Amino acid sequence: MEETTPTPETQQWRTLQRVILPEQSQMDTAPLYMDTGTAMGVQLPTVGDNNNMRDAKKSQTVSSPGKEVHVEDFLSRYSTSVRSGERVSFGTYFNAFPASYWRRWTTVENVRLTVSTRGVGAIIVYKSNARGALQRVDSVRVENNEVTNFDLTLKPFGDGGWYWFDLVAGSTPLILKEAEWKSEGEAKKPGSITLEITTLNKTEFCIDNLRLLSENPQALEHVKELIIVDQGTEKVALAAGFAEVAEALSGKLRIIDQDNLGGSGGFARGMYEAVENDSDYALLMDDDVVIEPESIIRLLTFADLCKTPTIVGGHMFDLYNRTVLHTFGEVVNPYSFQPDLPSGDMTLGHDFVGSNLRHTGWMHRRVDVDYNGWWMCLIPTAVIREIGLSLPVFIKWDDVEYGLRAKAAGFPTVSMPGSAVWHVSWIDKDDLVGWQAYFHARNRFIAALIHSPYEFGGKVVRQSYAFDVKHLVSMQYATAQGRIMALRDLLAGPDQLHSMLPGKLPEIRAMMSGHSDSQFSSDPDSYPAPKMDKPPKHGHGVTPPSYVGLLPWAAKTVVRQLSLPVSDSSKNRPQANVAHQDNRWWRMSQFDSAVVSNAEGTGASWYKRDPRQLRKMMAESAKLHAALLRDWQKLSARYKAALTEATSIAAWEKTFAAHSKKNEN
């Protein structure tokens, strides 16, 4: 086929990103949208002195707070007033333009910033480089009603950097009517989306998000269908307000009732339905989130302009501390096979109130990732058709494995700045303990068997055994037993993955009911008052072992737990009350019993040392880990061979048929 040169008739300007302001109900997130203060960025030394470089790195995440943003001056989602003599900046998370991402992953080479204003003042355009150093690009004085254009190149943004602009008002207020970043290209119809939310008894979240989406019709313009996969007992379709939001969504909403197949079963259903209705993308979202509706438009626009089919995900902010970002992107450490940060400068839980985008140097370097969490993730159906649906693993590691599988097939993943949801934080959760420990352990191994580049999985096997020992000496027998169950099922092979989906969780819960460390009480007075037979040595209590003496100390601790009998007094009353943040293996291993708070702070359970259980479980864990290491290569070959069938549309279609309810809405 001959290539044709685009003509003016086939060229058009397409909006890449609009300047937005928070919803009226989200004013505590204002620092993510608009900022105040000076235009200072990260100050870097001009000479190659190592001490200066270290000092510069320290300064990259320190920001002097500017004035409070005047949220009362927000005129709409796209317009605001700047008070006379004041300056505001849109060099913020939601409104700076992530130029390096557009340069690396899309066909866009140049952008135009269009700013529509009323009043007297100035527009100042800035850019940053990958180190976070600020550079002034242009400045224009404006008067009365003006539309000002800035044509900008993406060439300098190979490793990182952003564009943004500030507004400075003159002697009277300056009104920002609207602003947007655009590119010129061949006319192309935007892709279509199936937006799918998997839910389990989170009806209030679902109704709130459906209402928010119905109030932002532009976000749904290219959404072909909005599907709720309801796997709970508290049905969304029966919740207060459902009829109202369903009507407001003008026929786009569909409810699918199915048995609880976990997150992987719900998200696989979303992928399946997107392929079936011939959408261009499946947009997967968690239920316990609050959406920034503009993110849907941004993800779609970016994905449409990518050079190759690309998975594009949004970031996650803390729902209960809304200016705190969970992470800017994640990779999998190939040796430990654990999620990791791509750069040593990055931090988890960054608060934009403490350090805004302009002052946080590491945010200006482009972050390339292995996967994006499925709290908000746009997947092209072209990718789904080629590599399949989610692994049938219920929960945990399904999104990680899918990103690695896509990467191996040549499909990259981008965690896109400026697109995000607010999600229930991990801070108040500890899913490595309790029923979820089974899925963490088994699914990490499955992903490693398929994707680890090391002959025997790096250090994943020996690290897993160390985790088991820590749980056991901490008296977390239910968690340890769940991990042992995970190893048994893992060694049994991949053929049972689909059939296990609906029944494994009830089996785990039944097992856990027999262990006191998994039985919680919300009433602290339901347990006897704690008492130690002997006071702590020198009054200091338990202290952590030194790094040098860790191994002999740990060996001595295990021997003590295996050989010493449990004191009679600790069988009738705990020796201590332990807060969740103090629940560390080196501390818990020194008690015969203790009442331990859960991560949520809603209850506590009574941990009781049992040498017989410890001996039995430690021996079985050692035996299973030895078998796994011995048979690693054979198991790896089996799981790799089974991957295509297990994730196929045909296999999932059978599972959906067996576990779907008849009353789809």
Side-chain angles (χ1 to χ4, degrees):
M1 179 181 293
E2 293 184 358
E3 292 188 5
T4 58
T5 302
T7 64
E9 291 76 19
T10 63
Q11 296 291 96
Q12 68 174 14
W13 287 98
R14 178 167 181 174
T15 299
L16 306 180
Q17 179 176 308
R18 295 183 293 185
V19 167
I20 56 173
L21 295 165
E23 300 273 353
Q24 288 296 316
S25 60
Q26 307 279 337
M27 287 304 173
D28 54 339
T29 65
L32 303 177
Y33 295 82
M34 196 171 82
D35 200 3
T36 61
T38 68
M40 288 181 62
V42 176
Q43 302 303 305
L44 298 175
T46 56
V47 293
D49 182 88
N50 288 336
N51 290 328
N52 285 345
M53 287 301 295
R54 281 195 294 270
D55 292 342
K57 281 191 175 183
K58 290 179 183 176
S59 72
Q60 286 185 7
T61 54
V62 178
S63 171
S64 299
K67 296 179 181 179
E68 287 272 339
V69 172
H70 299 299
V71 296
E72 63 272 22
D73 294 340
F74 294 167
L75 305 177
S76 73
R77 277 276 277 166
Y78 311 104
S79 175
T80 188
S81 175
V82 183
R83 299 186 180 189
S84 60
E86 293 195 0
R87 177 183 194 135
V88 300
S89 177
F90 293 95
T92 57
Y93 175 81
F94 277 117
N95 285 319
F97 184 76
S100 65
Y101 291 80
W102 286 92
R103 185 192 187 283
R104 171 65 182 87
W105 301 110
T106 74
T107 57
V108 176
E109 297 178 351
N110 301 284
V111 296
R112 172 175 288 180
L113 168 63
T114 299
V115 185
S116 178
T117 55
R118 184 173 72 247
V120 178
I123 306 169
I124 310 171
V125 180
Y126 295 92
K127 69 178 180 180
S128 65
N129 61 21
R131 297 175 296 162
L134 175 151
Q135 301 170 38
R136 181 181 176 278
V137 177
D138 201 355
S139 177
V140 172
R141 177 178 170 80
V142 292
E143 298 180 1
N144 303 319
N145 289 301
E146 290 197 24
V147 176
T148 308
N149 292 318
F150 300 89
D151 289 318
L152 308 163
T153 179
L154 298 185
K155 286 183 180 179
F157 298 96
D159 293 328
W162 302 67
Y163 276 124
W164 68 89
F165 69 95
D166 290 5
L167 294 179
V168 183
S171 58
T172 58
L174 176 64
I175 305 298
L176 172 68
K177 296 163 68 175
E178 62 178 357
E180 61 183 11
W181 304 85
K182 302 184 292 187
S183 70
E184 189 176 22
E186 190 172 354
K188 181 182 177 183
K189 182 181 178 182
S192 59
I193 295 173
T194 291
L195 193 164
E196 186 271 338
I197 298 173
T198 297
T199 188
L200 181 76
N201 300 333
K202 297 278 180 35
T203 56
E204 188 174 345
F205 272 108
C206 289
I207 296 298
D208 288 346
N209 277 316
L210 292 176
R211 183 177 293 111
L212 181 60
L213 289 170
S214 71
E215 293 167 353
N216 289 269
Q218 284 183 307
L220 296 180
E221 182 180 357
H222 302 294
V223 172
K224 179 179 288 189
E225 196 170 21
L226 201 168
I227 296 174
I228 302 286
V229 177
D230 194 338
Q231 302 187 138
T233 55
E234 301 171 16
K235 294 300 181 183
V236 174
L238 301 178
F242 174 78
E244 172 194 345
V245 296
E247 182 179 0
L249 288 166
S250 305
K252 289 191 174 184
L253 177 63
R254 178 160 63 105
I255 305 292
I256 296 176
D257 281 334
Q258 68 181 28
D259 294 333
N260 183 11
L261 304 178
S264 70
F267 290 130
R269 188 65 181 262
M271 296 177 182
Y272 171 79
E273 297 295 339
V275 171
E276 285 294 293
N277 68 22
D278 206 28
S279 292
D280 296 302
Y281 303 97
L283 176 55
L284 310 180
M285 289 179 52
D286 271 340
D287 53 358
D288 51 349
V289 301
V290 172
I291 305 167
E292 166 48 75
E294 192 76 9
S295 298
I296 298 173
I297 300 171
R298 292 182 178 184
L299 293 180
L300 173 62
T301 303
F302 187 86
D304 275 349
L305 293 171
C306 281
K307 299 170 187 174
T308 60
T310 301
I311 298 171
V312 188
H315 287 144
M316 170 189 142
F317 282 87
D318 186 342
L319 183 62
Y320 300 125
N321 193 359
R322 296 199 177 189
T323 56
V324 174
L325 178 71
H326 170 56
T327 177
F328 217 56
E330 292 178 282
V331 296
V332 175
N333 182 306
Y335 192 61
S336 65
F337 220 82
Q338 291 278 43
D340 202 356
L341 298 178
S343 166
D345 295 333
M346 288 179 61
T347 60
L348 287 171
H350 177 82
D351 191 344
F352 281 88
V353 170
S355 183
N356 62 29
L357 174 65
R358 292 173 296 158
H359 291 78
T360 308
W362 59 261
M363 282 192 182
H364 293 255
R365 179 178 179 176
R366 191 188 68 248
V367 175
D368 297 336
V369 302
D370 287 336
Y371 68 96
N372 197 94
W374 284 352
W375 46 74
M376 186 181 208
C377 193
L378 186 77
I379 304 175
T381 50
V383 174
I384 298 170
R385 289 186 177 95
E386 181 159 337
I387 72 170
L389 281 61
S390 169
L391 262 176
V393 291
F394 199 77
I395 60 167
K396 305 301 177 187
W397 284 86
D398 45 357
D399 48 5
V400 181
E401 188 282 326
Y402 200 85
L404 294 174
R405 194 185 339 152
K407 183 179 180 180
F411 301 115
T413 296
V414 176
S415 291
M416 187 63 187
S419 304
V421 296
W422 288 269
H423 189 287
V424 174
S425 169
W426 314 139
I427 292 173
D428 289 333
K429 296 181 179 180
D430 186 0
D431 53 13
L432 295 175
V433 174
W435 65 268
Q436 295 183 71
Y438 168 94
F439 297 103
H440 265 295
R442 186 197 66 171
N443 298 348
R444 178 190 176 205
F445 273 127
I446 291 174
L449 285 164
I450 296 169
H451 298 290
S452 174
Y454 294 94
E455 191 176 10
F456 292 96
K459 69 174 183 179
V460 64
V461 177
R462 70 171 183 268
Q463 189 181 62
S464 174
Y465 182 65
F467 289 164
D468 278 3
V469 172
K470 288 180 179 180
H471 287 303
L472 286 166
V473 299
S474 300
M475 302 175 284
Q476 295 169 343
Y477 301 121
T479 295
Q481 187 61 49
R483 290 174 56 85
I484 287 171
M485 291 169 62
L487 284 168
R488 291 176 191 156
D489 289 342
L490 179 79
L491 291 167
D495 296 340
Q496 57 183 344
L497 288 176
H498 273 277
S499 61
M500 289 170 59
L501 276 174
K504 183 52 65 173
L505 179 56
E507 181 185 340
I508 295 168
R509 290 196 183 280
M511 175 275 293
M512 297 188 72
S513 66
H515 294 275
S516 65
D517 55 287
S518 66
Q519 298 171 14
F520 290 90
S521 172
S522 60
D523 181 7
D525 294 326
S526 63
Y527 299 114
K531 183 180 179 181
M532 289 288 291
D533 291 337
K534 296 180 181 180
K537 189 176 182 180
H538 304 305
H540 295 310
V542 182
T543 57
S546 67
Y547 181 78
V548 174
L550 177 61
L551 285 178
W553 187 92
K556 182 180 177 181
T557 297
V558 172
V559 171
R560 171 193 168 274
Q561 288 225 359
L562 287 170
S563 59
L564 288 182
V566 177
S567 65
D568 291 335
S569 61
S570 68
K571 296 177 182 178
N572 300 315
R573 64 191 307 163
Q575 294 177 321
N577 286 330
V578 180
H580 176 262
Q581 60 264 39
D582 297 326
N583 184 7
R584 299 293 180 264
W585 69 272
W586 48 265
R587 175 177 288 113
M588 298 305 300
S589 64
Q590 304 306 301
F591 295 115
D592 280 346
S593 73
V595 172
V596 184
S597 302
N598 63 5
E600 296 83 0
T602 57
S605 57
W606 191 349
Y607 287 20
K608 300 177 181 180
R609 186 166 73 87
D610 185 337
R612 184 186 61 81
Q613 283 202 80
L614 173 66
R615 186 177 297 107
K616 178 183 176 183
M617 289 187 189
M618 191 170 288
E620 184 170 8
S621 175
K623 180 181 177 182
L624 291 169
H625 279 95
L628 176 57
L629 192 61
R630 182 189 67 238
D631 296 335
W632 182 271
Q633 292 175 324
K634 292 180 181 178
L635 272 173
S636 176
R638 288 181 64 191
Y639 277 92
K640 287 176 180 177
L643 180 63
T644 299
E645 172 59 25
T647 60
S648 69
I649 288 176
W652 271 110
E653 201 166 37
K654 294 176 184 176
T655 298
F656 297 144
H659 298 287
S660 293
K661 311 292 176 63
K662 292 182 179 180
N663 55 329
E664 287 195 16
N665 293 285

